[in-house]
Amino acid sequence: MRISTNQMVQDTTANIQAAMDQVQNGTLQLSTGQSVNQPSDNPLAAGQIVDLNSEIEQDSGYTTAAQSGDAQLSLSASVLGQVQTLLNTAQTAAEQGLNSATESQSDLTALAGTVDGVLQQALSLANTQSNGSSLFAGYQTQAPAFSAVSSGGQITAVNYQGDNGVNSAQVGSATAVAVNLPGDSVFDASGSSVFQSLIVVRNALQTGDQSSLSSGLTQLQSAMQTVTGAQAKAGALDQTLQNQETTLASLKSGQTASLSQYQDANMASAATNYQQAINTYEAGIQAAALVAQLPSIVNYML
Amino acid sequence: MDLSSFAGYSIANQLFNTVQVQMDVAGNNISNASNPAYSQQAAVVQPAPPLADVSGVGEVGGGSEVASIQRQRDTYVDAQRVATQGQLGESSTLAQGLNQLQGVLNESNGQGISNTLNQLTSAFASLAAQPSDPSLRAGVVDAASTAAGAINQEYSSLASLRQQADQQASQAVGQMNSTAQSVAALNVQIANAQAAGQQPNDLMDQRQADLETLGTLAGADSTTMANGMVSVNVNGHWLVDQGTSASVSTAQDPLNPAVSSFTWADNGQAFSPAGGEAQGALTLRDQDVAGAMGNLNTLAASLVADYNGLQSTGYALGAATPGGSAFFTGTGASTIAVDPALAANPSALAAAQNPSAPGDGTNATAFAALADKASAGLGTTYTGALSTWTSEVGASAALATQQQTTQQSSMTQLNNLTSSVSGVDLNEQAISLSEYQQAYEAGAHYVGTLDQMMQSLISEITG
């Protein structure tokens, strides 16, 4: 084929430009560490990356919800543990008042004072708030769960102000876990009400009414079982959330690994390709330098 | 019949004339060596008419003369060049535009609309657990504003891309009109020159360059006619006929004032290019960018419908009746925004599905679950749609780039073919120059010898 002078120059320029393009591409992969820098680099992978990013973000939303539920449930369980300790104190006082016929009324009054203290602390624990929301009020989180009716300086009745609403945390596409225990079923269940039993026991101790004290104690023990049961339930739900957090974390690491397969450049091969592109480019400019120096026949004629 | 004694001078004269023309042609070639549109020229030398017919001996030649100065050109390759320029112009414009488009729609870098929607979902998931927390409510409103803003922003970038493609098409059409005029004028000049027996080589180079420009601009197609003129047509409508050219008018599209419409000035019919930059720009404007804008509008309308649906059946913080302010206002990608009433008062957000239940986050959970559901307007999830669109625009951009590369290499091959016929080789010219120089020297000797002979003869006669 006949080669014109201009063609030599144009071909050399075109080859250098093609090599520059490869160098640019290699630089981009190395500097971003990603093989898909724009959708056309790998359209299918680009779509998968969007999907995976969304799944990862969704799972991190589930994780946030699980952590938040976890915090509420462990606070609930801890509050119920404290209530139990208090109720143990009240139980001991009631048993003391019941067992010893030798106790004087003044001793009984002192025991009644202990039980009244328990009542007040239990009420305050039942009204525990978390981030400004009442923990045991069902959906009525903006008001205290229980309100006390007082007469003569002491609590005579405790009323539940909440409802039986149970809020669930969505912690997986098909997994929702209850994160609150409505207070009526925990503190105010009929026949085993914490507050009612404490009031009965306190009143019986104050008046020395042994038969009322005895039935109050039975109620109190029943209330203690309810609280223990509620604490176990909170613990179990909390455990479910913690397990889910672990599941989500391992899911996320799997998704992150897939994402990396789609979008991350293989640095070893990217570096090799880059070196190759640089070599091609260097060869191209050397060739261009040689073309520029290529002697013409004119050099030998004059 | 005898030959004149001075006939030799006539031959020598022809020789010097011929060599002079050859030298001039070589000089012209050398000075145009770096111009790729220039075709190498060659002096076609033929024997001059014989001096006389001496019967029984035969003719004595009359030396040489230059018959014509020919342009070295392969007309078959020329036709291919015009066609390939049309394809290359179209795919280059498309590849460049689609690369910009995929830059705007880039969801695969972890940013983009899908990311803002993911954040919105997460904000709802956090709120669901503590629905009366004002900072979490504000977080939802912020995330929703960010998502709506991202959609507005992307839509306005797409509108700029559409405008850019529109301008590109208008410019291509304008340039096509003026180039067509130039071809018509060259047609006339070339035909006149040829009728006068001349070889209008440079004009023909110019016209070939113009025809390739028309290919690049609009995929125009040309035919050479017997009189040396070319006729050009674009997708069945004439553009250049002998010495006249047609033109395409540009006006605001009455159906869509954001873009231009193009019509043939002679019959008012719609102009549709057969390829070239105009075709690439129009495909980009009317299919790729318009499609992306339509997709974004569908997405925005679906978000408005889905989020407002849940907002209207849910209960605001502690509210006894459902509804209240909307979640999103607007109807499409350019107008979607968080309802100003909700933005001003995040407690209006309907996180509950029960009346008077500030601690109820079931509707917030339902909002968060929207991301997982196929939206009625889209037939798939929001991110599912975005991921499909990302793949599609990526595939289109990859294909257009691929086609551009292929056509670029066809063009390179044609350039090489053209160059092998028409390009100037300086070595070749230098060798020719030394050949001409030697012919000139030999001619000079010839004249010297003739002269001596004549001197001898004259001195014998005059004594």
mmCIF file of all heavy atoms in Angstrom, chain A residues 58-59 61-63 65-66 169-177 244 248 251, chain B residues 365 372:
data_model
loop_
_atom_site.group_PDB
_atom_site.id
_atom_site.type_symbol
_atom_site.label_atom_id
_atom_site.label_comp_id
_atom_site.label_asym_id
_atom_site.label_seq_id
_atom_site.Cartn_x
_atom_site.Cartn_y
_atom_site.Cartn_z
ATOM 1 N N GLN A 58 -31.561 -0.424 53.445
ATOM 2 C CA GLN A 58 -32.782 -0.894 54.078
ATOM 3 C C GLN A 58 -32.433 -1.728 55.323
ATOM 4 O O GLN A 58 -33.041 -1.568 56.379
ATOM 5 C CB GLN A 58 -33.559 -1.749 53.085
ATOM 6 C CG GLN A 58 -34.999 -1.907 53.459
ATOM 7 C CD GLN A 58 -35.797 -2.412 52.266
ATOM 8 O OE1 GLN A 58 -35.273 -3.171 51.441
ATOM 9 N NE2 GLN A 58 -37.031 -1.988 52.161
ATOM 10 N N ASP A 59 -31.435 -2.582 55.175
ATOM 11 C CA ASP A 59 -31.028 -3.383 56.329
ATOM 12 C C ASP A 59 -30.471 -2.504 57.433
ATOM 13 O O ASP A 59 -30.634 -2.809 58.617
ATOM 14 C CB ASP A 59 -29.983 -4.429 55.899
ATOM 15 C CG ASP A 59 -30.646 -5.557 55.118
ATOM 16 O OD1 ASP A 59 -31.892 -5.639 55.169
ATOM 17 O OD2 ASP A 59 -29.942 -6.333 54.466
ATOM 18 N N GLY A 61 -31.566 0.428 58.015
ATOM 19 C CA GLY A 61 -32.780 0.960 58.629
ATOM 20 C C GLY A 61 -33.364 -0.042 59.622
ATOM 21 O O GLY A 61 -33.747 0.308 60.743
ATOM 22 N N TYR A 62 -33.398 -1.325 59.236
ATOM 23 C CA TYR A 62 -33.891 -2.378 60.132
ATOM 24 C C TYR A 62 -33.017 -2.449 61.384
ATOM 25 O O TYR A 62 -33.507 -2.638 62.500
ATOM 26 C CB TYR A 62 -33.869 -3.740 59.431
ATOM 27 C CG TYR A 62 -34.872 -3.902 58.306
ATOM 28 C CD1 TYR A 62 -34.579 -4.688 57.192
ATOM 29 C CD2 TYR A 62 -36.119 -3.274 58.354
ATOM 30 C CE1 TYR A 62 -35.488 -4.853 56.160
ATOM 31 C CE2 TYR A 62 -37.041 -3.434 57.323
ATOM 32 C CZ TYR A 62 -36.721 -4.219 56.226
ATOM 33 O OH TYR A 62 -37.619 -4.375 55.218
ATOM 34 N N THR A 63 -31.709 -2.300 61.167
ATOM 35 C CA THR A 63 -30.781 -2.365 62.307
ATOM 36 C C THR A 63 -31.045 -1.210 63.278
ATOM 37 O O THR A 63 -31.085 -1.411 64.494
ATOM 38 C CB THR A 63 -29.324 -2.309 61.791
ATOM 39 O OG1 THR A 63 -29.143 -3.350 60.840
ATOM 40 C CG2 THR A 63 -28.341 -2.492 62.928
ATOM 41 N N ALA A 65 -33.854 0.352 63.690
ATOM 42 C CA ALA A 65 -35.112 0.070 64.377
ATOM 43 C C ALA A 65 -34.889 -0.983 65.469
ATOM 44 O O ALA A 65 -35.416 -0.866 66.581
ATOM 45 C CB ALA A 65 -36.150 -0.407 63.371
ATOM 46 N N ALA A 66 -34.095 -2.004 65.165
ATOM 47 C CA ALA A 66 -33.829 -3.071 66.137
ATOM 48 C C ALA A 66 -33.071 -2.516 67.338
ATOM 49 O O ALA A 66 -33.379 -2.847 68.494
ATOM 50 C CB ALA A 66 -33.040 -4.194 65.472
ATOM 51 N N ALA A 169 -41.411 -2.846 66.081
ATOM 52 C CA ALA A 169 -40.308 -2.380 65.240
ATOM 53 C C ALA A 169 -40.209 -3.326 64.052
ATOM 54 O O ALA A 169 -40.212 -4.548 64.222
ATOM 55 C CB ALA A 169 -39.004 -2.380 66.017
ATOM 56 N N GLN A 170 -40.149 -2.718 62.837
ATOM 57 C CA GLN A 170 -39.966 -3.532 61.633
ATOM 58 C C GLN A 170 -38.470 -3.784 61.514
ATOM 59 O O GLN A 170 -37.690 -2.868 61.283
ATOM 60 C CB GLN A 170 -40.496 -2.754 60.423
ATOM 61 C CG GLN A 170 -40.679 -3.575 59.178
ATOM 62 C CD GLN A 170 -41.912 -4.464 59.251
ATOM 63 O OE1 GLN A 170 -42.865 -4.143 59.965
ATOM 64 N NE2 GLN A 170 -41.888 -5.591 58.551
ATOM 65 N N VAL A 171 -38.080 -5.039 61.711
ATOM 66 C CA VAL A 171 -36.638 -5.301 61.737
ATOM 67 C C VAL A 171 -36.219 -6.263 60.633
ATOM 68 O O VAL A 171 -35.098 -6.770 60.611
ATOM 69 C CB VAL A 171 -36.196 -5.851 63.109
ATOM 70 C CG1 VAL A 171 -36.339 -4.772 64.177
ATOM 71 C CG2 VAL A 171 -37.004 -7.075 63.484
ATOM 72 N N GLY A 172 -37.132 -6.525 59.720
ATOM 73 C CA GLY A 172 -36.833 -7.352 58.562
ATOM 74 C C GLY A 172 -38.035 -7.209 57.671
ATOM 75 O O GLY A 172 -39.063 -6.690 58.115
ATOM 76 N N SER A 173 -37.913 -7.625 56.370
ATOM 77 C CA SER A 173 -39.034 -7.361 55.477
ATOM 78 C C SER A 173 -40.289 -8.072 55.983
ATOM 79 O O SER A 173 -41.395 -7.612 55.752
ATOM 80 C CB SER A 173 -38.688 -7.803 54.059
ATOM 81 O OG SER A 173 -38.390 -9.165 54.053
ATOM 82 N N ALA A 174 -40.146 -9.190 56.717
ATOM 83 C CA ALA A 174 -41.330 -9.883 57.227
ATOM 84 C C ALA A 174 -41.228 -10.095 58.732
ATOM 85 O O ALA A 174 -41.903 -10.949 59.280
ATOM 86 C CB ALA A 174 -41.495 -11.220 56.507
ATOM 87 N N THR A 175 -40.369 -9.330 59.390
ATOM 88 C CA THR A 175 -40.183 -9.526 60.827
ATOM 89 C C THR A 175 -40.478 -8.240 61.585
ATOM 90 O O THR A 175 -39.799 -7.232 61.398
ATOM 91 C CB THR A 175 -38.719 -9.932 61.128
ATOM 92 O OG1 THR A 175 -38.344 -10.938 60.210
ATOM 93 C CG2 THR A 175 -38.588 -10.448 62.547
ATOM 94 N N ALA A 176 -41.534 -8.295 62.423
ATOM 95 C CA ALA A 176 -41.838 -7.158 63.286
ATOM 96 C C ALA A 176 -41.813 -7.671 64.717
ATOM 97 O O ALA A 176 -42.291 -8.755 65.003
ATOM 98 C CB ALA A 176 -43.199 -6.585 62.934
ATOM 99 N N VAL A 177 -41.210 -6.896 65.627
ATOM 100 C CA VAL A 177 -41.107 -7.316 67.019
ATOM 101 C C VAL A 177 -41.701 -6.231 67.905
ATOM 102 O O VAL A 177 -41.381 -5.050 67.744
ATOM 103 C CB VAL A 177 -39.629 -7.565 67.407
ATOM 104 C CG1 VAL A 177 -39.514 -7.931 68.882
ATOM 105 C CG2 VAL A 177 -39.023 -8.659 66.542
ATOM 106 N N GLN A 244 -31.741 -10.652 65.758
ATOM 107 C CA GLN A 244 -31.996 -10.059 64.441
ATOM 108 C C GLN A 244 -30.866 -9.107 64.054
ATOM 109 O O GLN A 244 -30.459 -9.060 62.893
ATOM 110 C CB GLN A 244 -33.349 -9.327 64.459
ATOM 111 C CG GLN A 244 -33.775 -8.756 63.116
ATOM 112 C CD GLN A 244 -34.064 -9.838 62.068
ATOM 113 O OE1 GLN A 244 -34.162 -11.014 62.404
ATOM 114 N NE2 GLN A 244 -34.152 -9.431 60.813
ATOM 115 N N LEU A 248 -28.785 -9.313 60.762
ATOM 116 C CA LEU A 248 -28.665 -8.189 59.830
ATOM 117 C C LEU A 248 -27.201 -7.855 59.564
ATOM 118 O O LEU A 248 -26.825 -7.551 58.432
ATOM 119 C CB LEU A 248 -29.387 -6.953 60.393
ATOM 120 C CG LEU A 248 -30.921 -7.004 60.337
ATOM 121 C CD1 LEU A 248 -31.528 -5.878 61.166
ATOM 122 C CD2 LEU A 248 -31.407 -6.925 58.902
ATOM 123 N N LEU A 251 -25.889 -10.378 57.227
ATOM 124 C CA LEU A 251 -26.493 -10.119 55.923
ATOM 125 C C LEU A 251 -25.767 -8.966 55.243
ATOM 126 O O LEU A 251 -25.428 -9.008 54.067
ATOM 127 C CB LEU A 251 -27.956 -9.734 56.146
ATOM 128 C CG LEU A 251 -28.948 -9.987 55.020
ATOM 129 C CD1 LEU A 251 -28.943 -11.447 54.625
ATOM 130 C CD2 LEU A 251 -30.351 -9.569 55.472
ATOM 131 N N THR B 365 -44.218 2.559 60.124
ATOM 132 C CA THR B 365 -43.732 1.271 59.616
ATOM 133 C C THR B 365 -44.248 1.029 58.205
ATOM 134 O O THR B 365 -43.521 0.564 57.326
ATOM 135 C CB THR B 365 -44.196 0.134 60.548
ATOM 136 O OG1 THR B 365 -43.716 0.412 61.855
ATOM 137 C CG2 THR B 365 -43.678 -1.199 60.083
ATOM 138 N N ASP B 372 -40.336 -1.427 49.888
ATOM 139 C CA ASP B 372 -40.262 -2.853 49.574
ATOM 140 C C ASP B 372 -41.350 -3.314 48.618
ATOM 141 O O ASP B 372 -41.320 -4.433 48.143
ATOM 142 C CB ASP B 372 -40.420 -3.636 50.882
ATOM 143 C CG ASP B 372 -39.158 -4.379 51.236
ATOM 144 O OD1 ASP B 372 -38.225 -4.328 50.410
ATOM 145 O OD2 ASP B 372 -39.123 -4.987 52.315
#
